[in-house]
Amino acid sequence: MRFNLEHDWQGNISTPRAKVGERAKIRLLIALCAVWLLIGLTGHDPWKPLESTAISTIKDILDHSNFVAPTAASNNQLENPPLYYLSAALSAKALSGLLPLHDGARIASGIWMLLTLVIMGMTGRELWGKGLGRQTSFIFIGSIGLVISAHTISPEVSALTGVATCFYALALAKRRPYRASVLLGLGMSVGFLSTGLLPISVVLLCGLALPICFSNWRSVSFAKVAGIAVLIAGFIILSWILLCYKQAPSAFNTWWTNATSNFQQFHFYFLNLLLWYAWPSLPLALWGLWRQKSNLLYQARYQLCITFFVAAFVCISLLGQNKDIYAMPLLIPLTALAGVSIETLKRGAASALNWFGLILFGFMAFLIWLGWGAMMSGNPAKLKERLIFLSGLTKLNFNILAFVLASAITLIWLFAFLRSQRSNRAAATNWAIGITCVWTLLMTLWLPMINSARSYGDVFNSLKSVLPSDCSCLATDGVGGAQLELLHYYTNIKPYPHFTEASKNCDLYLVQDEKNQRAIVLGSDWREIWRGKRISERKERFRLFHQSH
């Protein structure tokens, strides 16, 4: 293949730009995104605490056709609007003949993330020009903190799609105002119907701050975009609000009260989190801002990225919980800035990023292979002992498919790094391939161990096997919210806390003990019929009592 190289020998290697065919570049992007998206979506149980609430809510939809205000088993209250849960229930139902319910539901997260990746690529191209959309997508999937959150059964995944759509619509507003207004309205609707006020608060705050702070955004055209978008979003959102209020007024009132009063003291949890969560987009974005410091307040695209990040940070810090998954919207403006900033890196900085990626992901891949080898062979013995302690598994079965896939992705990563050009764009691509390699190794070689440490499938399936066929309901004592939700998923019984009115007539009583076994005083007609714990658990234990009639 012939290359026409155009160097800028003044200190950066944003070029050479290899005149590789567009089809080859697009195929590389599609292949990499496909591997990144698909690996980890199936093959494991719902994990606590990331997926427990969502899977219980999805089961509520499928079992009771509760489409408007579905609830989880832990509190019977509306946690979030139903859009994500409905999409996950639909995918689970459509794939019920092929996949377990939780794997089928997790496919919906993959579809939402696919839309997000496409939108991020379109955003990079709209802001910075042809070719930089791919770079933006590579940097986005290379974000260290994104990969786990993106593969969970969680409404924050579809909320991210809504926020990314709004950001793209704002970038598109000057060139295609009517198209942007429709996308902005749909994005706000998706965000609100996924997780409520937080996503739409980010967009509204950014939309208000832009014309207030910058003259570039004070135009009739932008006012029309904002007005049409608000009308579209208002119609969709109000339709659900009215329907929910009509069908479940109590649940809606409780949810709305919690949503509008759940402001917390501004904190800097997410500022500390971003130091690793947003790598490598954060340092690249900061470099780009420094290099373009004279243009930041005058160019609309930089104004948008900065304002959106500030709005997202403020809203998430005030409305979000101290959980990593809430930081995902912060990656959108950072990645957009990083997509163009990497083009201007100095030669040494680009090489340092490349080598840092090689060392980091190479070391992680080495540890994963070493741990797998220890579990298979018994050596190093200390490492195997530690992995058994953490996972509870004493033996790891050889899986030929997992081994072949892990070997292939490792070789592809090494080949890509050794044969790639030493250029800025290659650094971003190599980073994306590196994190995809490590994620694939974790989800193939180590998946049984991770699943053993995070799953409640074995213990609750064991409990289900001893349940009397004529049991009326199940009361609980000391069982955590995530455990209640997973208990509901595995046993098909929606449990009650022991202090509720509905639990008084239950003939099953489940107790969760921490470390020491508590004394339980029940009547003479109660007897213990089961006890169990997860194989990796060192504190939590369960006992089930049954009342004979």
Side-chain angles (χ1 to χ4, degrees):
M1 182 180 295
R2 298 181 61 186
F3 292 87
N4 180 12
L5 305 180
E6 300 173 354
H7 278 271
D8 170 11
W9 301 105
Q10 302 303 314
N12 70 65
I13 50 174
S14 59
T15 55
R17 297 183 182 180
K19 304 300 184 180
V20 181
E22 288 298 306
R23 290 184 179 179
K25 294 178 181 178
I26 292 173
R27 287 170 183 166
L28 172 62
L29 176 62
I30 292 174
L32 186 59
C33 289
V35 174
W36 186 90
L37 279 172
L38 294 175
I39 296 296
L41 286 180
T42 60
H44 64 83
D45 297 332
W47 289 344
K48 170 205 168 188
L50 296 175
E51 301 180 317
S52 55
T53 300
I55 196 64
S56 180
T57 307
I58 293 165
K59 185 171 178 59
D60 183 53
I61 293 175
L62 294 174
D63 290 347
H64 305 106
S65 301
N66 191 0
F67 302 125
V68 177
T71 60
S74 59
N75 53 21
N76 285 321
Q77 293 181 359
L78 183 64
E79 290 283 339
N80 291 298
L83 177 61
Y84 175 82
Y85 303 128
L86 291 173
S87 66
L90 180 62
S91 69
K93 187 71 173 178
L95 298 170
S96 59
L98 300 174
L99 296 172
L101 191 154
H102 52 269
D103 282 346
R106 210 177 282 117
I107 295 298
S109 292
I111 296 172
W112 285 112
M113 281 307 304
L114 175 61
L115 293 174
T116 303
L117 290 177
V118 171
I119 292 166
M120 289 303 301
M122 294 166 63
T123 301
R125 178 170 179 146
E126 183 64 31
L127 287 174
W128 315 115
K130 186 177 180 180
L132 290 174
R134 285 188 295 270
Q135 291 303 110
T136 304
S137 298
F138 282 137
I139 294 172
F140 188 68
I141 66 174
S143 299
I144 292 177
L146 178 66
V147 63
I148 295 178
S149 300
H151 292 82
T152 59
I153 310 171
S154 175
E156 282 77 16
V157 176
S158 59
L160 179 68
T161 305
V163 175
T165 303
C166 292
F167 186 78
Y168 172 62
L170 292 171
L172 189 66
K174 290 184 178 294
R175 191 172 66 87
R176 291 285 189 270
Y178 291 106
R179 184 183 302 175
S181 63
V182 174
L183 289 173
L184 185 59
L186 292 176
M188 287 193 291
S189 302
V190 169
F192 182 89
L193 293 178
S194 296
T195 56
L197 292 179
L198 179 54
I200 200 172
S201 298
V202 173
V203 179
L204 291 176
L205 181 57
C206 179
L208 288 173
L210 283 171
I212 291 174
C213 299
F214 305 107
S215 59
N216 289 342
W217 297 86
R218 295 186 209 123
S219 64
V220 175
S221 176
F222 184 70
K224 290 180 179 179
V225 170
I228 296 173
V230 168
L231 289 175
I232 294 173
F235 174 76
I236 297 173
I237 292 171
L238 284 175
S239 297
W240 173 76
I241 289 176
L242 293 175
L243 187 60
C244 184
Y245 186 76
K246 180 180 179 181
Q247 292 193 8
S250 177
F252 175 79
N253 287 332
T254 302
W255 173 78
W256 183 255
T257 300
N258 293 335
T260 53
S261 61
N262 194 27
F263 290 91
Q264 56 188 7
Q265 185 178 358
F266 189 87
H267 55 85
F268 293 95
Y269 170 82
F270 295 102
L271 189 61
N272 296 325
L273 178 71
L274 286 177
L275 296 178
W276 67 267
Y277 191 92
W279 192 277
S281 57
L282 179 61
L284 291 174
L286 292 175
W287 163 253
L289 292 177
W290 171 257
R291 185 175 176 86
Q292 297 293 330
K293 56 184 179 295
S294 59
N295 298 322
L296 296 182
L297 301 180
Y298 304 103
Q299 294 189 15
R301 51 193 180 181
Y302 288 107
Q303 294 166 355
L304 171 61
C305 293
I306 295 171
T307 304
F308 198 93
F309 177 82
V310 172
F313 184 80
V314 170
C315 292
I316 292 171
S317 296
L318 290 175
L319 296 172
Q321 302 177 35
N322 289 358
K323 296 180 180 179
D324 296 359
I325 198 168
Y326 282 87
M328 287 196 296
L330 296 173
L331 296 175
I332 294 171
L334 291 176
T335 303
L337 283 169
V340 69
S341 300
I342 197 169
E343 289 288 288
T344 62
L345 276 181
K346 299 295 183 182
R347 181 185 301 273
S351 296
L353 178 63
N354 216 2
W355 280 103
F356 178 64
L358 173 66
I359 295 170
L360 174 65
F361 297 124
F363 181 68
M364 294 173 71
F366 170 75
L367 289 181
I368 295 170
W369 276 107
L370 182 64
W372 178 82
M375 290 296 293
M376 296 300 299
S377 66
N379 293 306
K382 287 291 186 182
L383 179 57
K384 180 177 181 179
E385 180 182 338
R386 186 62 182 172
L387 291 174
I388 291 174
F389 175 77
L390 293 174
S391 69
L393 284 183
T394 57
K395 181 181 179 182
L396 190 64
N397 295 322
F398 181 77
N399 186 317
I400 183 64
L401 180 61
F403 175 77
V404 170
L405 185 58
S407 301
I409 195 67
T410 304
L411 293 175
I412 290 171
W413 171 67
L414 288 172
F415 179 82
F417 180 82
L418 295 175
R419 295 296 300 270
S420 67
Q421 305 176 63
R422 296 299 178 261
S423 67
N424 295 30
R425 294 192 176 192
T429 305
N430 289 340
W431 189 278
I433 297 174
I435 199 166
T436 304
C437 172
V438 169
W439 175 247
T440 302
L441 294 180
L442 283 173
M443 292 295 103
T444 51
L445 301 180
W446 278 31
L447 184 59
M449 292 184 287
I450 298 173
N451 193 55
S452 175
R454 308 294 293 183
S455 170
Y456 279 77
D458 289 342
V459 64
F460 287 149
N461 281 325
S462 172
L463 183 151
K464 181 181 179 180
S465 66
V466 303
L467 290 177
S469 58
D470 59 344
C471 62
S472 58
C473 61
L474 189 151
T476 62
D477 183 7
V479 182
Q483 290 86 338
L484 285 174
E485 291 154 356
L486 292 173
L487 178 65
H488 168 226
Y489 174 66
Y490 285 110
T491 64
N492 296 319
I493 296 178
K494 210 162 188 177
Y496 297 99
H498 74 283
F499 51 81
T500 61
E501 189 69 24
S503 67
K504 290 184 177 180
N505 297 320
C506 290
D507 55 0
L508 289 172
Y509 190 68
L510 179 67
V511 178
Q512 178 178 322
D513 297 313
E514 298 291 338
K515 292 186 177 180
N516 299 322
Q517 180 173 304
R518 293 177 293 158
I520 301 297
V521 180
L522 298 171
S524 58
D525 54 345
W526 288 86
R527 64 184 181 91
E528 182 180 317
I529 61 172
W530 174 87
R531 63 172 55 198
K533 73 179 190 69
R534 295 189 300 152
I535 59 174
S536 62
E537 188 60 59
R538 290 173 290 280
K539 297 180 181 179
E540 199 176 80
R541 287 167 173 78
F542 299 95
R543 288 178 289 159
L544 181 65
F545 297 86
H546 178 239
Q547 184 181 35
S548 57
H549 298 288

